[in-house]
Structure formats: C-alpha cells, structure tokens
Amino acid sequence: MQRISLTLILSIVSFSIFAQNGKDTVTNRSVVLENVYKPKFLDVQKIESVPVLDKPAIKPVSFTYKITPFQVTTEKIVNPIPVLDLNVKDENVYPNSFVKLGYGNIRTPLAEIYLNNKQNTKYSYGAHYRFLQSNSDLNNSFADFTTHNFKGYANTFTEIGEVGVDLNYNQNRFNFYGYNTLDTNLEASKDNLGRTINSFDARAYFNSTSSNSKKLKHRTQFNFYNYRVGKATENQYALSSKLYKKLRNTGEMKDAQISTVLGVDYNIFDFDTLKTIKRFFIQFDPRFDFVYDGLILSVGFNTTLFFKGGDTITPFINPVIKATYPIVEGVANLYAGIDGRYQKQSLRNIVNTNPYTTQYSLLNRYENVSTFLGLNAKIGSSADAVFEIGYSDVSNMPLYISNGDSLNSFSILYRQVSVLKFTTAFNYSFSEKVRIGVLGNFYNYEVTAEPYPWQLPNIDGKLNMQFNIKNKIYPYIDIIAMGVQKQRTGRGSNYSNSSIEAFYDLSAGIDYRFKKKLSAFVQANNMLSSRYQRWYNYPVYGFNIIGGITMIF
C-alpha cells in the first residue's frame, strides 16, 4: 500500500489551459479587494522567508472524514510554511506547561514556552511564545528570517455558557531574494531588502450552552486585527453570531434544526499616499437541516451585501444544498452538494499567501458556483478512505506573477478560473503504534485571458507515517510532492514564461522520551537536499537538521 500511495503522490500530470482578461471597474487605483467573506476571526498564519509546503497531519482513525465545500481558495493550493518545518505540534496533551529548546546546523535557534493553569472546571488561561531564527551563510539564498509568535488566552465556564478572550501577536522578518552579490555595499543592500510583517488580532466570544432545548442558542464573537507591512496597514472589525434551534413535530423529518449566521465586517485599508479604502459587508446565511429516510440534508443560502460606498449596495446570493446518504450504514456514505460565496480580498490574505507580493490590489473574488460529489468509507476496523470530484467557477481569482524587478517581487493578475479537482485520501491506524496518511489532489484549470494558471500545480500530494515504539520512541516520516508549475515574468503583453520543475521533499524525525517529563527530539528536513522552488526565484534551503529537548513542568 505504501508503494501505491507514493506512486499516487509523485505522479505528475501535464496539461494546457486557456483564459480571458478582467479589469477592476470599481476603482482606478492599484488597490483591490477579495477573499471568502465570513465575518469571523481567522487564525493568523506565520510568514517565513522561504516558502515550503505544509506537512500532512495524520489523525487517529475516525470515520467522519469531511471534504471542505470550498474547492478553490484565494490562497495557494498549498500554503507556504517555514523553511524549517519543525515538529512543534506534540502528540501529547500536556497537563501543565512545557519548554522546548533546539538548535540547527544552519545556526537556527528555537525556543518555545507554553504556560497554562492546571485543570479546572470553571476557568482556564495560559500563554504561548515561540521564537525561531535562521542565520545561514548560504550564498545567493538570502533566506534568513526571524519570527516571534505570542498567544494569550483566558476563558470561563458557567451554567449558561462559555466566555473567553484570545490575543495573538506575530512578527515576521525576512528578505527578498533580489540583490546584487557584486555590490560593494552589500550590507546596505540587505537592509533595503528586509521586510517586516506585524500582526495583532484579538477575539472575544460567548457560546451559550443551555440544556433547555426550547431556547434559542447562539455562538457569538467579536474579532479585531491590525496588519502592517511596510507602509501598508489594514484594520478589521467584525461581529458574527450563529443562532440555532431544534424543531419539534416535523412529521417524517428527524433532527430538524433551523439556524442562521449573521455578521457584519468593517475593513479599513491604508497604503502610502493612496486614499483610505473603507469596506463594509453584511452576511446572512440561513439554513434548514434535517434527516429524511436516512438522507441528511442541509438547504439554505449564502448571502453577502457589499457596500461600495455612498448608497451603492451590491447583493450576492448563492443557493446551498448539501446531502449525505449512507450507502452502507456505518461503513460508506455518498455525499454531494452545491455552494458558492462572495469573498473579500484583504492585505493580510495577499501577503499570507505570497509574502513577496508588493502590489496590493484588492479585488473581491466571487465563487459563482462550487459543486462536489464524493464517497467516504470505513475499510475494516483500522482504515478509512475518501474520494471526491469537484468543480468550481471563480471570478477574480488571484494569480501571482513575477515582476522581474531587482527584488524578485510579485504582483497579482485577477482572472476568471474554472477548476476541476479530484481528491483521494487514505488513513490507516494500527492501534496507537502505526499511523499512515496519504492525500493526493489532481487539478485541471481553464483560465480566461491567460495560457496557464500561473504558479498553480496540476498535482500535489502528501504522505505521513508515525510510529510509537513502546511509548518511548516516536519516529515519523513526511513526504510532500508537487507537480510542474508554469510561471510568468512581466505584466504587459511582452512577458516571458518558464516552468518550475516538479519536486518532492523528504523529512524525518524522532522523539525519544527519557522520562515522563523529559524528551529529546531530532528532525531532518529536505533530506535529498533539493533546492526546489515553490515561488519563482525563491529556492528553499538544502538539507538541514535541528535537535533539542522538551521539558514538562
């Protein structure tokens, strides 16, 4: 099965695509808007110097596997992560607190501390800080970076609900790769090429947990974030609430429930000398969920009202239908649906997707329709699998192209893109001793006004294996792969293009528990030392290794 899984991941399929031009008719500025509008608090993503791929996260076998209905996202299909993909997510749930310290072969210090209160039925609080830095001397890489990540939280539990607050601050410093190695004043050049991203976000929430089924329940939260990149600043204020109530006496319909998501989102964008851009969104997503003769149904609408300024209001309404039917009860489920949504673009989304982007055009994306059909199944007592095919038609989908300037920076082309996607995944778990997970995605694009879907792969895959040897030694292996990508340099009609080669990355590590509260870890990344590129002109580090200790207290 391993050999078959690896073959699935590492298969590379080539294809052609076609397309058409789109312009922003809302504003003549070099600023535009877009992303899945949902006035909710989004997790802040770290942005590091070198874009690499997310590792697959393998979970214990559970047969409730679900595929996200949004088949195309504003972000890259595979998000960038730090060059050193450190295994900071521990499998254990620490009862108290821990400290983690490490160091790597490219002068890479790691420090992490997590503090929280002991188990308590009424409240919990804690703080988490993580520091990671690279100080390599690699020629022509310029890949050094520094990250500081802090999170604080506190919540309390009462008879009527849960109240809590989260605070997050992240600072990421890295460099553009474009520079002249023959420059006699290289240190000054390095200073000019440095980039710092500061992000602060906060969330306050209340979730009602009344046991009275007659009462209307809700989950409500207020979100704020401030995001700064150089002279560009963005602030968001969002309030959202999900209201839901179970129904009685609904005839042959069982487990009937009505719900709706109500939200408002106010966003302010400032950049250099441009006029401040203010945007306001209202969200209304009603749903009716029920079970009829074994068929699980959810029907409703995704509704977004976009205020362009003045008295101009543009409504976007998409029907939502999702159905799941058990072909074999408790073993296999067939599911299908149709969806769609108007989505807000933001400075944070652009830079989190590609940290080397210097053009902040904010053109809102519209997922006109998204359909999917799939099957998930339990295989024996220790494995599960999923197969899905989906189609999405998206207006104003961002494609990132190289500017060809001295910074090797990127700008955005917004295009109409249709995506046909096939996904297959398999998970196997033998007790807690062996866990294996495989995921493969295959894409076919049609792009308006462009010959290729710039910097989007035709295939990507992940494989993760984790082992538990006598509850003392925990080895693991990760493999990530991506197919050929086409890249474009230049915005005008006289542009050039080339191919970014397919690649796969092998990483491995081990965690050795000396005692219950003391362990040592070692992780080797990019073991084949392939200087592959996820973004054009930005090769990742070669082989690197880091090790250290974890102490629980």
Side-chain angles (χ1 to χ4, degrees), residues 34 74 345 365 396-400 412-415 456:
E34 195 270 346
T74 306
Q345 178 63 294
R365 191 187 90 174
N396 299 327
M397 183 173 178
L399 302 176
Y400 293 85
I412 304 174
L413 290 178
Y414 289 96
R415 296 292 184 261
L456 292 177

Side-chain angles (χ1 to χ4, degrees), residues 189-204:
S189 298
K190 288 183 178 180
D191 292 338
N192 293 333
L193 292 171
R195 194 173 217 201
T196 300
I197 299 173
N198 291 283
S199 176
F200 171 78
D201 55 76
R203 177 181 68 141

Side-chain angles (χ1 to χ4, degrees), residues 398-414:
L399 302 176
Y400 293 85
I401 63 171
S402 176
N403 290 323
D405 57 11
S406 60
L407 292 178
N408 285 332
S409 67
F410 290 82
S411 58
I412 304 174
L413 290 178
Y414 289 96

Side-chain angles (χ1 to χ4, degrees), residues 210-217 244-248:
S210 173
S211 60
N212 189 338
S213 60
K214 295 181 179 180
K215 288 187 176 181
L216 182 68
K217 299 181 181 180
Y244 55 101
K245 187 180 189 317
K246 290 188 177 296
L247 301 178
R248 294 184 177 181

Side-chain angles (χ1 to χ4, degrees), residues 372-481:
F372 54 93
L373 173 65
L375 173 70
N376 57 44
K378 175 181 177 181
I379 305 173
S381 60
S382 58
D384 66 276
V386 64
F387 305 91
E388 181 183 295
I389 185 169
Y391 172 82
S392 297
D393 180 68
V394 183
S395 298
N396 299 327
M397 183 173 178
L399 302 176
Y400 293 85
I401 63 171
S402 176
N403 290 323
D405 57 11
S406 60
L407 292 178
N408 285 332
S409 67
F410 290 82
S411 58
I412 304 174
L413 290 178
Y414 289 96
R415 296 292 184 261
Q416 182 86 16
V417 180
S418 298
V419 183
L420 181 65
K421 176 183 177 182
F422 175 73
T423 297
T424 180
F426 173 79
N427 290 298
Y428 172 80
S429 178
F430 178 72
S431 181
E432 293 295 319
K433 304 302 180 182
V434 178
R435 297 180 186 175
I436 300 175
V438 179
L439 171 68
N441 296 305
F442 305 84
Y443 309 91
N444 185 35
Y445 308 89
E446 290 187 3
V447 188
T448 302
E450 298 295 330
Y452 302 104
W454 307 119
Q455 293 241 208
L456 292 177
N458 58 348
I459 183 174
D460 63 64
K462 306 175 184 181
L463 169 67
N464 175 254
M465 295 183 288
Q466 297 180 2
F467 307 92
N468 178 348
I469 303 175
K470 296 183 178 181
N471 294 322
K472 196 175 187 67
I473 303 175
Y474 299 83
Y476 60 90
I477 298 173
D478 294 314
I479 301 177
I480 53 178

Side-chain angles (χ1 to χ4, degrees), residues 151-274:
K151 178 178 181 179
Y153 67 92
N155 57 14
T156 183
F157 312 94
T158 69
E159 292 181 356
I160 62 172
E162 175 189 4
V163 179
V165 176
D166 296 331
L167 300 174
N168 295 273
Y169 174 75
N170 295 280
Q171 183 184 80
N172 303 277
R173 296 179 179 177
F174 56 96
N175 304 289
F176 291 99
Y177 279 17
Y179 71 104
N180 183 1
T181 57
L182 300 178
D183 190 345
T184 57
N185 192 16
L186 181 57
E187 290 303 319
S189 298
K190 288 183 178 180
D191 292 338
N192 293 333
L193 292 171
R195 194 173 217 201
T196 300
I197 299 173
N198 291 283
S199 176
F200 171 78
D201 55 76
R203 177 181 68 141
Y205 61 91
F206 174 69
N207 300 326
S208 64
T209 57
S210 173
S211 60
N212 189 338
S213 60
K214 295 181 179 180
K215 288 187 176 181
L216 182 68
K217 299 181 181 180
H218 70 94
R219 295 196 296 267
T220 302
Q221 60 182 9
F222 172 76
N223 305 293
F224 166 80
Y225 76 74
N226 172 269
Y227 195 87
R228 290 179 288 125
V229 184
K231 296 181 180 180
T233 303
E234 183 174 66
N235 291 292
Q236 175 184 278
Y237 307 84
L239 178 65
S240 66
S241 181
K242 180 175 181 179
L243 310 172
Y244 55 101
K245 187 180 189 317
K246 290 188 177 296
L247 301 178
R248 294 184 177 181
N249 302 321
T250 52
E252 296 183 1
M253 292 185 296
K254 299 179 180 179
D255 300 325
Q257 175 179 287
I258 57 170
S259 64
T260 187
V261 174
L262 297 172
V264 294
D265 186 335
Y266 181 59
N267 188 275
I268 305 173
F269 176 83
D270 288 294
F271 179 56
D272 206 5
T273 59
L274 294 175

Side-chain angles (χ1 to χ4, degrees), residues 24 27-33 269 271-275 277 350 357-363 411-412 414 491:
D24 177 14
T27 176
N28 293 324
R29 291 169 259 184
S30 60
V31 189
V32 185
L33 323 170
F269 176 83
F271 179 56
D272 206 5
T273 59
L274 294 175
K275 183 179 179 181
I277 294 178
I350 290 173
T357 304
T358 55
Q359 179 223 1
Y360 308 130
S361 56
L362 305 175
L363 186 60
S411 58
I412 304 174
Y414 289 96
R491 290 187 59 85

